[in-house]
C-alpha cells in the first residue's frame, strides 16, 4: 500500500495533533501516524465508576496560554485545582506537620538556607536564554556540573538540601545527579520562574480540565477524522530529491513532501533514517533519557480529607510518593488523590508487583490522612517507563554537557524532517502547553516549504 500526502506527522500526542490541526487549517494535506491504539501520547485517562481519572499529564496554570486557548476552542471547561484547607508534610522520621503556601515549615536555619538557594537559583536562571540556552556567558560552566553538585555547594543545612532534592524529583522525575544544572535553569526560565513550576495556586498546577486533559487529544483527533492512523509505528524515513517516504512496521508507506516527527527524542532516535541523520542530532538523542515515573491515582467514595480541613495536598520526605494532590473535579462524586513515584524510587519499585506498590502507597496515605485512606474504591497506576512508545515521563533529561555540545541539533530540521514535541518547546518545556506550542510552531515552519505560504483557513 502506498499513499501520497503533503505532510506526514509521526505521533498523535498533543504536539503531533496540534501540528496536523494547524496544517489542515491551512488546507495542507496531512496524515498523522500513531504507533499506539489511542491518541494522546503522554496524556491518557480511564473511567472509574463515572469518574474520569487521569494517568498522564493533567495540570495547567497561568501563562500556559495555548492549553487554555485550545481548551476554550474545543469546548473543554477548565476548573481550579482544589487547594482549600491545610497542606501536610511528612518528615523522614515519620513526623507529620501542617503548612500553607508552597514550602513547608522547617527549622529557621533550614528555611533561610532554602530561601537563599532559591534566590540564587532564580538569579542564575535569568541568565539563560530559553531560545538558545547553550549560548549564555556561563553556559559551559553551568552545563559542566550536575544539579546535585550545585545543591551540595549552595545549601548548608541537611534539611534544606533534602527539600531541594525533593523539588528535583517532583519537577523532573529524576535524581539531582542525573541532571545538568544548565538544564534545570533552562527549564525554570522557560516556565517563568521556580515558583511558577512549584506552586499550585498561581502556578503550573493551578488548573485542570473537566473531562481530563486527554479530552484535548480526543477532540483534536475527532476533528482530523481519518487523517489520524492508529496502530502505525514508523520504522523508516527515507529522503530523496523528490520527497520523503515514511514506512510503518506493517510495510505500509506514505510519500510526502515533508515530515514532522513529534515523539520524545529517545524514540525519534530509534527510527532508521536514509540518509543517516546528522551526527550531532544522533548523538543528542542517545543522551536524552526520559524521567522515571509511575503515576498512581487513588479513588475514594468521597473526599474525606476536605471534611477534616485538609487540602489533600501533601509532601513527603519519607515516601514512596514525594507529593500528593487532590485531583477531584467539582462535579465528581468521588474523592481522588494523585501521586507519582519518581526517579530512583520509581525505578526500584518498578520491579515490584502492582499490589505491592499499592500497599506502599496506601500505607503512606494512611500516615498522612488517617485510617480512611486505607479504603479506596479503586487504585490505578501507569508505569510510563514501561510504555513502549513513551519510555518515561515527564520529559527528556539533559545530562551535563548535552546542551552545550549538541543543543543546536534539538530543533534544527534534517532536510525534509522536522521536530516537534514538548522537548522542542522554548516555553513550558516538558508541559502540555509546550507540546501544543511546539506542534503549532512546526506547522508554521513546514507550511511554506509545502505551499509557498498559504494563509490559515477560517473555521
Amino acid at each position: 500500500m502506498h499513499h501520497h500526502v503533503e505532510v506526514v506527522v509521526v505521533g498523535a500526542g498533543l504536539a503531533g495533533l496540534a501540528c496536523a490541526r494547524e496544517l489542515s487549517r491551512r488546507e495542507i494535506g496531512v496524515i498523522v501516524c500513531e504507533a499506539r491504539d489511542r491518541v494522546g501520547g503522554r496524556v491518557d485517562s480511564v473511567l472509574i465508576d463515572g469518574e474520569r481519572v487521569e494517568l498522564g499529564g493533567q495540570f495547567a496554570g497561568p501563562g500556559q496560554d495555548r492549553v487554555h486557548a485550545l481548551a476554550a476552542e474545543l469546548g473543554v471547561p477548565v476548573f481550579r485545582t482544589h487547594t482549600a484547607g491545610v497542606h501536610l508534610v511528612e518528615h523522614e522520621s515519620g513526623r507529620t506537620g501542617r503548612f500553607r503556601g508552597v514550602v513547608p515549615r522547617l527549622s529557621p536555619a533550614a528555611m533561610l538556607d532554602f530561601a537563599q538557594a532559591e534566590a540564587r537559583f532564580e538569579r542564575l536562571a535569568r541568565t539563560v536564554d530559553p531560545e538558545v540556552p547553550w549560548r549564555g556567558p556561563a553556559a559551559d560552566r553551568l552545563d559542566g556540573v550536575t544539579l546535585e553538585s550545585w545543591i551540595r555547594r549552595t545549601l548548608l543545612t541537611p534539611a534544606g538540601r533534602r527539600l531541594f532534592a525533593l523539588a528535583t524529583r517532583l519537577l523532573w522525575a529524576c535524581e539531582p545527579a542525573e541532571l545538568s544544572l544548565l538544564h534545570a535553569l533552562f527549564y525554570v526560565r522557560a516556565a517563568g520562574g521556580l515558583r511558577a513550576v512549584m506552586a499550585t495556586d498561581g502556578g503550573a498546577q493551578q488548573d485542570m480540565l473537566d473531562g481530563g486533559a486527554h479530552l484535548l487529544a480526543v477532540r483534536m483527533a475527532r476533528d482530523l477524522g481519518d487523517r489520524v492512523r492508529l496502530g502505525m509505528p514508523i520504522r523508516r524515513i527515507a529522503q530523496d530529491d523528490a520527497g520523503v517516504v515514511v514506512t510503518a512496521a506493517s510495510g505500509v508507506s506514505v510519500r510526502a513532501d515533508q515530515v514532522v516527527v513529534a515523539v520524545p527524542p529517545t524514540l525519534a532516535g530509534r527510527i532508521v533514517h536514509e540518509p543517516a541523520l546528522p551526527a550531532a542530532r544522533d548523538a543528542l538523542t542517545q543522551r536524552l533519557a526520559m524521567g522515571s515515573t509511575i503515576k498512581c491515582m487513588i479513588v475514594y467514595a468521597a473526599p474525606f480529607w476536605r471534611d477534616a480541613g485538609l487540602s489533600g495536598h501533601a509532601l513527603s520526605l519519607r515516601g514512596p510518593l514525594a507529593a500528593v494532590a487532590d485531583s477531584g473535579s467539582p462535579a465528581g462524586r468521588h474523592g481522588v488523590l494523585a501521586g507519582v513515584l519518581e526517579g530512583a524510587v520509581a525505578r526500584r519499585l518498578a520491579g515490584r508487583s502492582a499490589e505491592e506498590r499499592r500497599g506502599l502507597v496506601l500505607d503512606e496515605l494512611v500516615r498522612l490522612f488517617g485510617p480512611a485512606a486505607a479504603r479506596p474504591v479503586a487504585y490505578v497506576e501507569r508505569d510510563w517507563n514501561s510504555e513502549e512508545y513513551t519510555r518515561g515521563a515527564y520529559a527528556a533529561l539533559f545530562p551535563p554537557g548535552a546542551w552545550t555540545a549538541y543543543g543546536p541539533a534539538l530543533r534544527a530540521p534534517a532536510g525534509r524532517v522536522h521536530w516537534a514535541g514538548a522537548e522542542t518547546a522554548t516555553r513550558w518545556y516538558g508541559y502540555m502547553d509546550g507540546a501544543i506550542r511546539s506542534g503549532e510552531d512546526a506547522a508554521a515552519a513546514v507550511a511554506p516549504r509545502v505551499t509557498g505560504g498559504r494563509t490559515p483557513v477560517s473555521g
Side-chain angles (χ1 to χ4, degrees):
M1 297 176 64
H2 200 75
H3 309 279
H4 186 276
V5 71
E6 289 174 295
V7 180
V8 171
V9 176
V10 179
L14 293 178
L17 293 170
C19 178
R21 190 167 182 264
E22 182 60 26
L23 290 171
S24 67
R25 292 173 70 175
R26 295 171 183 255
E27 295 186 329
I28 295 173
V30 60
I31 287 177
V32 183
C33 301
E34 168 56 45
R36 295 180 175 89
D37 60 0
R38 64 168 181 85
V39 298
R42 282 169 269 181
V43 295
D44 194 16
S45 64
V46 293
L47 197 63
I48 296 178
D49 192 22
E51 192 84 27
R52 183 59 60 178
V53 176
E54 304 207 59
L55 297 176
Q58 68 180 92
F59 295 108
Q64 297 189 7
D65 304 327
R66 293 311 305 143
V67 168
H68 288 93
L70 183 62
E73 190 174 345
L74 295 173
V76 181
V78 175
F79 64 91
R80 294 286 289 264
T81 304
H82 177 83
T83 57
V86 178
H87 311 327
L88 299 174
V89 60
E90 182 183 36
H91 299 275
E92 288 180 316
S93 64
R95 178 177 59 87
T96 60
R98 300 186 173 202
F99 72 101
R100 296 183 184 273
V102 178
V103 180
R105 295 181 63 84
L106 304 173
S107 69
M111 293 293 288
L112 288 172
D113 191 28
F114 187 87
Q116 64 83 23
E118 183 181 6
R120 289 189 184 189
F121 192 93
E122 293 279 23
R123 285 197 299 272
L124 281 175
R126 287 194 290 270
T127 69
V128 177
D129 183 346
E131 297 283 341
V132 285
W134 56 88
R135 286 189 188 168
D140 286 334
R141 177 174 59 84
L142 298 173
D143 205 29
V145 298
T146 65
L147 180 58
E148 180 180 44
S149 64
W150 181 86
I151 290 172
R152 291 186 178 279
R153 187 175 65 249
T154 306
L155 286 106
L156 305 177
T157 64
R161 289 175 179 171
R162 286 194 294 269
L163 189 57
F164 221 102
L166 178 70
T168 301
R169 298 181 189 102
L170 293 174
L171 294 178
W172 297 290
C174 70
E175 302 305 310
E178 300 176 71
L179 198 62
S180 155
L181 174 59
L182 178 61
H183 182 67
L185 297 168
F186 153 77
Y187 178 97
V188 167
R189 177 67 165 160
L194 193 55
R195 289 293 171 124
V197 295
M198 291 173 59
T200 300
D201 291 330
Q205 287 71 237
Q206 175 179 284
D207 302 319
M208 292 195 293
L209 284 74
D210 196 1
H214 187 227
L215 193 54
L216 297 178
V218 170
R219 291 191 176 175
M220 281 194 287
R222 177 199 63 191
D223 292 345
L224 289 165
D226 62 5
R227 285 170 284 197
V228 178
R229 312 292 173 87
L230 301 179
M232 194 173 177
I234 299 304
R235 297 290 186 244
R236 180 174 174 268
I237 297 175
Q239 302 185 56
D240 56 32
D241 292 340
V244 58
V245 176
V246 178
T247 305
S250 64
V252 172
S253 62
V254 183
R255 175 167 283 278
D257 298 323
Q258 306 287 326
V259 175
V260 177
V261 177
V263 299
T266 187
L267 298 183
R270 299 177 188 182
I271 300 173
V272 175
H273 288 261
E274 297 179 10
L277 291 175
R281 171 71 195 188
D282 189 57
L284 178 66
T285 58
Q286 293 179 45
R287 286 161 171 78
L288 300 189
M290 301 288 282
S292 300
T293 58
I294 303 174
K295 187 168 186 184
C296 308
M297 302 296 287
I298 307 92
V299 182
Y300 294 93
F304 61 88
W305 52 89
R306 298 183 187 179
D307 294 336
L310 301 176
S311 66
H313 294 252
L315 298 175
S316 176
L317 292 162
R318 182 178 174 184
L321 297 175
V324 180
D326 187 319
S327 187
S329 68
R333 295 185 295 109
H334 299 84
V336 183
L337 292 176
V340 183
L341 304 170
E342 295 152 322
V345 171
R347 293 191 290 269
R348 174 170 55 84
L349 294 183
R352 306 278 193 93
S353 68
E355 190 60 30
E356 287 179 285
R357 288 191 293 270
R358 178 183 185 276
L360 292 170
V361 167
L362 293 185
D363 285 347
E364 177 181 344
L365 296 180
V366 169
R367 296 195 307 266
L368 287 165
F369 298 105
R375 300 184 295 275
V377 297
Y379 169 93
V380 291
E381 64 175 30
R382 172 67 54 81
D383 181 352
W384 284 98
N385 291 77
S386 70
E387 290 278 306
E388 181 180 2
Y389 299 116
T390 307
R391 289 305 183 191
Y394 310 112
L397 307 172
F398 278 68
W403 267 121
T404 48
Y406 304 109
L410 178 64
R411 307 183 193 106
R416 297 174 183 270
V417 180
H418 308 259
W419 314 105
E423 285 80 12
T424 67
T426 58
R427 291 185 62 189
W428 294 105
Y429 173 102
Y431 285 82
M432 296 187 297
D433 190 89
I436 295 165
R437 289 176 188 275
S438 77
E440 293 172 345
D441 289 346
V446 167
R449 298 193 180 203
V450 174
T451 67
R454 293 179 187 163
T455 57
V457 177
S458 61

